[in-house]
Amino acid sequence: MKKRLSLVGALALALSACASLPTTDTSAVTASVPTNPLPVVGAEVLFWDDATRSARFRSMETYFPGQEVQESPDPRYLPQGDPLPASTQAAIRASMAENSIAGVIVLQDGKVRFEDYALGFGPEGRWTSFSVAKSFTSTLLGAAVKDGFIDSLDDPVSKYVPGLEGSAYDDVTVEQLATMTSGVKWNEDYTDPDSDVAKMFNVTPAPGEDQVVEYMKTLPREAPAGEKWVYKTGETNLIGVLVENAVGQTLAEYAKRKIVDPAGFAEPLFWQTDLSGRSVGGCCLSASLRDYARVGLFALEGGEGIVPEGWFAEAGAPQVDFGNGYGYGYQWWTYPGESFGAQGIFGQSITLLPDTDTVIAIVSNWPRATGQDLSANRRQLFAAIAEAVSADQ
């Protein structure tokens, strides 16, 4: 495991500066009430059939409560660039048909080189993100450090989430939470209705308590903090609680001025809330395909003025090294050649190729949440796109 402990207290602003920060326009973030409500997102989503997924992934706000975040007043223009070679376009469309992909966009140098849609989806629609949202939450963590709401990534998590005091998370640092190296035991099996990821939203919180904290504080430790990596959606949900407690806004409200406006979203964002009224940090925001790509551009360009200088270089670097060029950063997956990206179950992704200034955003309805065959097909698609954009450098 590669230990990196930069971007700590020296990057935080004085608390006095925080008092002058602009507040989010309350009219720009509003409650979204489902018209056909289902229980808070949990195990049932993992076991929807194909037709149900295809329909509901496009309209999660119809079924779940959340907050609607209005688009940027100054949307980022994405000009048309030179189209990818015909053979590459054909390969992308073949992959879309084979793998139930709803949309693919490829940007290079900020210009659109490919964009296409399927499964009834289109450029003005929104598609759910699943764990792509983790990288949004990570970005808001960086913004909270930049704004001085979080003093240091070395701080204990319980400093910002007092409900975790006395639990296995009591001695876990913010950075260990961000890299999923807490050492707390967790089961992320999407096929098991008894797994932690399936059960975490089954808890009904007591009045004044957090739904996420109520579940996570019961988990046992299986390794010393900082020594074992295990993928845990519940821990990103805890990052969401941590950021909301520190900032005093929901993730959706904070995202309005830290992601949506600076990245130049052209369509509204929807972010689901849990039974405590908190944005779900580990999943469950919906955006347009182009806006996912805009987030990729925002990260690729460093998020200047929003996150600490060098944040994305750290967040997109292998804080945990899996070998063969793969690893995990601050809620971003890292790939060979200094590329990194966000991934969500059922085939959602934002992939950044810094060496060619390329962003690839994909939304999908894979037939299963995950699978080695599905991931291999996506890697082949990335390789075809990477080869095409490299040839033009």
Side-chain angles (χ1 to χ4, degrees):
M1 184 176 299
K2 189 175 182 180
K3 185 175 179 64
R4 304 168 65 125
L5 294 173
S6 55
L7 296 168
V8 291
L11 295 173
L13 298 178
L15 290 177
S16 59
C18 298
S20 64
L21 287 172
T23 58
T24 302
D25 179 0
T26 55
S27 65
V29 182
T30 56
S32 177
V33 180
T35 56
N36 189 14
L38 294 171
V40 170
V41 62
E44 75 282 349
V45 174
L46 299 173
F47 302 103
W48 285 344
D49 61 31
D50 181 82
T52 300
R53 289 195 308 271
S54 185
R56 291 181 179 175
F57 285 1
R58 290 175 287 165
S59 58
M60 297 293 267
E61 65 277 9
T62 301
Y63 305 99
F64 301 110
Q67 287 183 301
E68 184 95 2
V69 182
Q70 290 304 303
E71 68 274 14
S72 170
D74 185 23
R76 178 168 183 165
Y77 175 58
L78 299 178
Q80 291 296 315
D82 293 335
L84 293 176
S87 59
T88 306
Q89 294 192 48
I92 296 173
R93 292 190 173 98
S95 182
M96 291 177 70
E98 180 182 355
N99 298 294
S100 296
I101 295 174
V104 176
I105 187 169
V106 179
L107 307 180
Q108 187 175 28
D109 299 323
K111 299 177 181 178
V112 180
R113 299 202 60 189
F114 179 90
E115 183 178 13
D116 203 3
Y117 297 86
L119 305 183
F121 188 53
E124 295 181 357
R126 293 188 295 214
W127 197 270
T128 192
S129 61
F130 291 105
S131 290
V132 166
K134 289 180 170 67
S135 300
F136 282 67
T137 299
S138 166
T139 300
L140 296 178
L141 175 66
V145 172
K146 170 72 173 176
D147 287 345
F149 293 114
I150 295 171
D151 297 324
S152 169
L153 296 184
D154 284 333
D155 283 344
V157 172
S158 55
K159 175 178 177 178
Y160 303 97
V161 189
L164 293 175
E165 291 178 358
S167 74
Y169 284 98
D170 209 357
D171 62 345
V172 172
T173 67
V174 176
E175 182 177 47
Q176 288 163 348
L177 200 66
T179 57
M180 297 191 182
T181 58
S182 68
V184 176
K185 190 174 182 179
W186 178 265
N187 180 353
E188 187 86 7
D189 186 347
Y190 302 115
T191 66
D192 181 3
D194 198 44
S195 66
D196 292 302
V197 74
K199 294 190 305 182
M200 62 181 169
F201 287 117
N202 293 344
V203 173
T204 300
E209 300 294 334
D210 288 312
Q211 185 178 24
V212 170
V213 175
E214 287 291 276
Y215 187 83
M216 300 300 288
K217 72 182 183 181
T218 67
L219 299 175
R221 174 167 298 287
E222 66 174 353
E227 293 188 8
K228 182 177 182 179
W229 181 87
V230 175
Y231 188 76
K232 307 180 185 78
T233 293
E235 293 197 340
T236 319
N237 294 340
L238 280 181
I239 295 174
V241 173
L242 187 155
V243 171
E244 289 191 356
N245 284 352
V247 173
Q249 292 183 310
T250 65
L251 296 180
E253 290 164 344
Y254 200 41
K256 169 61 178 171
R257 59 188 175 90
K258 296 300 176 180
I259 295 177
V260 171
D261 286 355
F265 275 37
E267 304 293 338
L269 171 81
F270 168 74
W271 204 326
Q272 290 181 44
T273 51
D274 64 16
L275 292 180
S276 302
R278 293 190 179 277
S279 302
V280 181
C283 76
C284 311
L285 64 80
S286 298
S288 74
L289 180 66
R290 283 189 160 217
D291 286 341
Y292 285 129
R294 288 181 172 98
V295 170
L297 284 176
F298 177 72
L300 195 64
E301 293 166 356
E304 183 177 357
I306 301 298
V307 294
E309 184 177 354
W311 174 265
F312 286 111
E314 291 285 328
Q319 306 296 331
V320 181
D321 191 346
F322 301 155
N324 298 318
Y326 294 91
Y328 199 72
Y330 299 152
Q331 306 286 301
W332 293 85
W333 297 90
T334 66
Y335 314 126
E338 298 186 350
S339 299
F340 63 103
Q343 292 183 20
I345 57 173
F346 295 107
Q348 327 315 321
S349 62
I350 304 171
T351 305
L352 286 64
L353 311 178
D355 59 339
T356 56
D357 197 25
T358 299
V359 174
I360 306 165
I362 299 176
V363 293
S364 310
N365 176 28
W366 280 357
R368 303 183 306 282
T370 60
Q372 291 186 357
D373 56 333
L374 296 165
S375 296
N377 288 339
R378 181 166 58 187
R379 286 194 297 272
Q380 290 175 0
L381 176 59
F382 290 161
I385 294 171
E387 181 179 4
V389 297
S390 295
D392 292 337
Q393 290 291 298

